[in-house]
Amino acid sequence: MQGNKKCTGKLRRGGLLAAALTTAGLLASMPAQAQDKPVGTFGWFGVGKALELEKGHWYWVGEFSGSFFSDKGAGGLLHLAGVRCPAYFDADFNAGKSNAGGYCIIQDVDGDQAVASWKNAGTPGPGGRGPGTFTFTSATGKFKSLLGTTHNFVGITQINWADGTTSGYATWNK
């Protein structure tokens, strides 16, 4: 019986060690994208052309551009990266509905880039909110781990300027 207790103890310890190593191996082999996600705010300025389709219903084509500010600050994923988003925005003020979509090209000072396709729907106008998703479709350098990942955002229009431009921001993964 003494031998069985030693054997059982060794098997138990060996089993725990094997389980710990297996877990560590699985965590280490998990794609980085499962751990990496940009959390912060993208402040943008929209420049483009708006056409009134009918009274109170506008269709805009242009670009939202600005910078991303990671909640983690320096060292946070995509912190201070430049962002350019060629896009469309369909705003029906009569129905109180809007939808938008396009792509965003994100680049940091080292030249590493990520491209994401995005879409959202919500309410138009100053203070309008549009929750949606974006998916990284290509990436280089330190952003390769983002490829294929999908994230949540909420776009908020702050100001529709008289000259047809617009200012706002989007919260990412908040």
Side-chain angles (χ1 to χ4, degrees), residues 17-172:
L17 180 59
L21 290 173
T22 300
T23 302
L26 287 171
L27 289 174
S29 68
M30 282 176 61
Q33 68 256 26
Q35 300 160 1
D36 294 342
K37 76 176 181 180
V39 178
T41 303
F42 162 43
W44 52 261
F45 183 67
V47 176
K49 184 167 178 93
L51 300 169
E52 190 170 30
L53 303 176
E54 59 185 326
K55 182 132 179 86
H57 185 180
W58 292 84
Y59 193 83
W60 178 90
V61 178
E63 181 178 292
F64 300 106
S65 60
S67 297
F68 179 76
F69 300 90
S70 171
D71 283 358
K72 291 182 180 178
L77 184 61
L78 302 176
H79 185 58
L80 300 181
V83 183
R84 298 182 68 186
C85 304
Y88 72 89
F89 183 65
D90 187 348
D92 187 343
F93 290 91
N94 302 318
K97 294 180 183 178
S98 67
N99 67 77
Y103 286 87
C104 288
I105 301 103
I106 304 157
Q107 182 173 317
D108 70 1
V109 295
D110 297 327
D112 292 330
Q113 281 192 354
V115 176
S117 65
W118 65 274
K119 61 184 174 184
N120 72 346
T123 56
R129 301 177 63 78
T133 60
F134 61 96
T135 301
F136 287 99
T137 58
S138 70
T140 64
K142 68 181 85 58
F143 303 138
K144 283 184 181 179
S145 66
L146 293 171
L147 188 59
T149 63
T150 299
H151 304 272
N152 297 310
F153 78 98
V154 177
I156 296 101
T157 301
Q158 285 296 98
I159 306 294
N160 289 323
W161 299 100
D163 65 359
T165 59
T166 184
S167 296
Y169 63 96
T171 59
W172 293 5

